[in-house]
Every structure is written in structure tokens, then in C-alpha cells.
Amino acid sequence: MFLTKTQNEKYADVMIWALQTARRNGKFKKYDSVLLRTDTAALPLAEAIYKKLIAARFNVITRINAPEAFSKAFYTNADDKQLSFISAGEKEFQGGINGLISLRAPEDLTHLKDVSPARIAKSAVAHKPLREILDVREQQGLFSWTLCNYPTEELAKRAGLTAKEYAGQIARACFLNEKDPVKKWKEVTKQITEIGKWLSSLPVETLRVESAHMDLEVLLGEKRKFIAGGGCNVPSFEIFTSPDWRGTRGVYFADLSSYRSGNYVRGVKLEFKNGRAVKADAEQGGEFVRKMLAMDRGAAQIGEFSLTDRRFSKITKFMADILYDENFGGKYGNCHVAVGASYADTYSGPQSQLDRKLKEKLGFNDSSLHWDLINTEDKTVTARLKDGSKRMVYEKGQFKY
């Protein structure tokens, strides 16, 4: 076991707090239904969460994810009809649950390396309506979700760490060594929320991020706000928004490696013109990157811009998992952009107003892809305000708040 029984109990408390915190509109009621979805290796944590949810009078549905070998068999052998298959009752099921806790503990990160990205994309596009059901319910205050990672030998190996070192990074990142991790999370969330409110209050027109290998400008867009923490990911120290994709220009560089759909990529470099990535290269895995950006119309456009302050995140190592890597603290914090889908909750108006037509009008990106690409270089982020003046908002891994 990578985490102790005490750490698992504390982790369970954090995850249930995160699920409740992620409910931005409305609150959970007694006997609401929560889906607890877990990989096999995370069962010690799943058991602790299950007991606490039952004790709190939730109705809990459990699903254990199939081993990676099943996914490989599916994507390798399924025909087009099977790739697009959605089981009977699944839409109704998604439309009825009130919460989701997802526990990820992969035991093979490269099992899909020989599978065509087009086959994975076809299945993802077919299942996009299921995600949209949950998106709408989340906007209505009827649903929230959270997810986390559980340490495995595979994750540690791919990160170049021992199992003990990897588990230690998770324990520090999630404050599992604290006497009261939930209390610590509340304190940190309050601090980063204040920064998010400060950024949202600035009359920002564009944000320009510059480092040794990139110079990217994004258009914030109308009716936007920055979100800090919020419970959807554990850990989460990032402060992010979904900009108007149409105003993206320049070069973005991801110095942190990434595993995606069983493929390893390193040194991704994207050139944007008129909002779209018109050129994509990588030191390793460039062909895979280009195929992912061709998944659908929105895949070559950005859906998220995010910054993490090094003062909050205790993650100092590459973790071979985007959940952790997008929250990297280290010496200079991190910036990341996501190509693909945007986040509706970064709309500053009433969520009930944000239908498909308004999203398109405001430049919220739509895609079946959402892929975070992370830069950990020393960087500056300068805001150009609506009156034409400029203000540095981020330098040396810290917000200039």
C-alpha cells in the first residue's frame, strides 16, 4: 500500500470536501446520488470514501474501471459502430446523478501507443453528449464532480521516481501529512480565491506570456472571470479562465512532458494565428500532437489559460500525470493552456444564460478534446488593460497581487 490507512482516511475527507466545494450553485441534499468511479489500484481510498459517503447519507453508486488491457482490446478491435456505441440507459443515468468522485490509478500509461488517435477521437466525439449532459446539470447547480490520483508503480516509473518518492509528492500536494488536511485546503483555497477575484476585477483586454521559448497573447473576451481552486481537481492550485479563442496569437511552448492516450510527447511547440494552431511541432511525438489537433474543429483552438503560484503548490517533480503537472509549483510555478474544450463556469454572468448560441458568440471553444500543455520556465505575464495601459500580473512564479 502506497499510502497509510491514516492518509487514506484523510484523503477521503479531502475528496468529500472537494465534491461539496465544487457545487458552485446549490447544495447537496440528504440521499443525493454520488457515483464513485475508481481504478482497481485505488480501492483502499475508494473504500474509505464509500464508508464516509454512506455515513453522510448519500446514495452511492460504484463503478470499477476496466483494466487498461480492456481499453487496448476495444480500440484495437472495435468497428465504427462499436466505437460509437452508448449503452442503453446511460444518458438517463448521467441525467440523474448529483455527484461524481473519480479515482485514477493507472497501471499502464502506454497501452494505447499503437492505437490510431483517429479511433480514440471517434469514440470521444460519440460520447461527448454524455459530458454535455453533466455540463448542463453542473450549470444548473444539480451536479458537481471531483477527481484525484492514487500512486502506482507505473506512475512512479514514468515520472522517474521511486514509489516512496511519488507517494510523498501526493501526500505533500494534498496536505495528507497535516493534522487537518481539510482545514489546510480551506485556508489555501481562500488565498488563491482572493487572487482570482483580483484578476477578475482587472479590466483585462489581453494577457501576454513570455519566456525563453514562447511569446503568446490571448484575448480574455467579454463576460469572463478567473476561477481559483474550487474542488473539481485534487490537488488544484491553478487560477484559470477560458479566453475568447479567436484572439489567440503567437507561440506557445510546453517544456513539461505529457502522456496522452498512451502516447508520450515532449517539447510541444504551437504557433497560433487568428485563434488557431496553424503549426504544431514537438521534440518527440509531433505526429501524435498534429493528429490530436485534427480531432475536430475546436481541437486546434484553446479552451483554457491558467497560472499556478509556486507559493501554494508543493509539487516539485514531474509526475507523468496532467492533474499534478498542471499544478506544478517548483521554482517558477507554471503556465498552461489547454487546446480544446472551454469551461462554462468561467462565464461571469448567470450560468442559466450560457447556452450553445451564446457560447459561440462569446468565443467559448467547443471540442471533444481538452489537453493541458504545461510550461514551467521563468516567465512574465503582462495584462494589457482596456484603457491601453499595461500591468505585469505574474513574475518569477508568483502573482503580482
Side-chain angles (χ1 to χ4, degrees):
M1 184 180 292
F2 288 94
L3 298 177
T4 68
K5 182 176 181 180
T6 298
Q7 287 175 324
N8 280 323
E9 292 291 329
K10 290 181 177 181
Y11 211 168
D13 289 334
V14 168
M15 294 307 297
I16 294 172
W17 165 81
L19 181 69
Q20 294 170 325
T21 301
R23 194 71 168 267
R24 303 189 192 282
N25 304 303
K27 295 182 179 180
F28 280 98
K29 302 186 298 294
K30 190 177 289 189
Y31 304 115
D32 273 352
S33 59
V34 173
L35 172 60
L36 176 59
R37 190 168 61 201
T38 182
D39 287 338
T40 304
L43 282 174
L45 175 57
E47 181 182 355
I49 292 173
Y50 183 86
K51 290 178 179 178
K52 290 176 183 291
L53 287 173
I54 291 295
R57 297 296 175 259
F58 286 98
N59 288 321
V60 187
I61 306 110
T62 57
R63 285 187 177 179
I64 299 178
N65 299 324
E68 284 86 353
F70 283 43
S71 295
K72 182 177 181 178
F74 173 72
Y75 288 116
T76 301
N77 300 300
D79 61 23
D80 285 352
K81 286 187 177 181
Q82 290 172 308
L83 287 171
S84 302
F85 174 71
I86 296 175
S87 61
E90 190 63 24
K91 291 182 179 179
E92 291 77 9
F93 175 74
Q94 300 291 338
I97 59 174
N98 305 111
L100 165 65
I101 298 178
S102 183
L103 312 182
R104 305 187 310 177
E107 296 182 276
D108 190 343
L109 291 181
T110 59
H111 61 293
L112 300 181
K113 65 180 180 180
D114 298 322
V115 174
S116 167
R119 294 178 62 78
I120 299 172
K122 186 175 184 64
S123 182
V125 170
H127 286 80
K128 186 168 174 282
L130 295 179
R131 192 188 72 202
E132 291 174 340
I133 291 171
L134 297 181
D135 287 345
V136 170
R137 287 178 59 77
E138 188 174 11
Q139 288 177 244
Q140 295 171 337
L142 301 173
F143 171 81
S144 64
W145 59 272
T146 189
L147 61 85
C148 73
N149 277 9
Y150 200 77
T152 64
E153 290 280 3
E154 171 73 350
L155 284 169
K157 181 179 74 173
R158 298 295 178 181
L161 302 174
T162 67
K164 183 177 180 180
E165 288 172 334
Y166 198 95
Q169 283 280 309
I170 285 184
R172 285 192 295 276
C174 298
F175 307 120
L176 303 184
N177 296 326
E178 297 277 338
K179 182 177 180 180
D180 187 344
V182 171
K183 181 181 178 181
K184 180 66 176 181
W185 270 113
K186 288 179 179 179
E187 292 171 355
V188 170
T189 299
K190 181 179 179 181
Q191 290 175 292
I192 61 175
T193 297
E194 289 177 357
I195 296 176
K197 288 179 178 178
W198 164 69
L199 276 176
S200 298
S201 72
L202 296 177
V204 174
E205 182 75 19
T206 63
L207 291 165
R208 183 178 181 182
V209 55
E210 298 171 271
S211 73
H213 295 93
M214 68 174 173
D215 186 350
L216 182 79
E217 185 175 81
V218 299
L219 174 68
L220 183 60
E222 298 299 318
K223 305 289 284 185
R224 296 305 203 275
K225 65 181 178 181
F226 288 83
I227 293 178
C232 290
N233 291 337
V234 176
S236 180
F237 307 102
E238 58 175 321
I239 298 176
F240 66 93
T241 190
S242 286
D244 185 336
W245 69 264
R246 298 167 293 191
T248 311
R249 66 181 184 88
V251 174
Y252 183 79
F253 177 70
D255 67 305
L256 214 58
S257 302
S258 178
Y259 284 91
R260 178 81 188 192
S261 299
N263 288 262
Y264 174 77
V265 300
R266 176 171 54 85
V268 176
K269 187 176 183 180
L270 305 178
E271 182 179 344
F272 289 88
K273 288 184 179 179
N274 300 318
R276 288 183 56 79
V278 296
K279 188 176 181 181
D281 293 308
E283 295 168 14
Q284 184 173 339
E287 185 60 27
F288 173 76
V289 174
R290 288 185 284 275
K291 287 180 178 179
M292 294 304 287
L293 295 183
M295 177 182 289
D296 56 37
R297 172 66 186 177
Q301 301 159 182
I302 72 168
E304 179 188 7
F305 177 84
S306 176
L307 294 163
T308 295
D309 192 310
R310 67 182 182 88
R311 292 171 294 184
F312 303 113
S313 173
K314 304 304 179 185
I315 302 167
T316 59
K317 305 288 186 181
F318 170 62
M319 296 288 280
D321 184 89
I322 288 175
L323 173 61
Y324 274 76
D325 295 331
E326 71 175 359
N327 283 285
F328 186 88
K331 188 175 181 179
Y332 296 118
N334 87 77
C335 165
H336 72 262
V337 301
V339 286
S342 59
Y343 289 120
D345 51 2
T346 63
Y347 173 63
S348 62
Q351 286 291 302
S352 59
Q353 294 179 353
L354 194 61
D355 56 17
R356 186 181 296 273
K357 185 176 180 180
L358 183 57
K359 284 182 179 179
E360 184 175 351
K361 180 181 178 181
L362 295 176
F364 281 88
N365 195 30
D366 181 49
S367 175
S368 56
L369 178 70
H370 185 92
W371 185 8
D372 299 286
L373 299 166
I374 302 120
N375 179 283
T376 67
E377 296 178 302
D378 186 11
K379 67 187 69 64
T380 60
V381 181
T382 306
R384 178 164 59 84
L385 306 182
K386 292 182 178 179
D387 64 4
S389 63
K390 295 182 179 180
R391 176 170 181 173
M392 187 177 293
V393 296
Y394 188 93
E395 183 181 29
K396 300 294 180 185
Q398 300 182 189
F399 286 97
K400 305 287 286 185
Y401 170 59

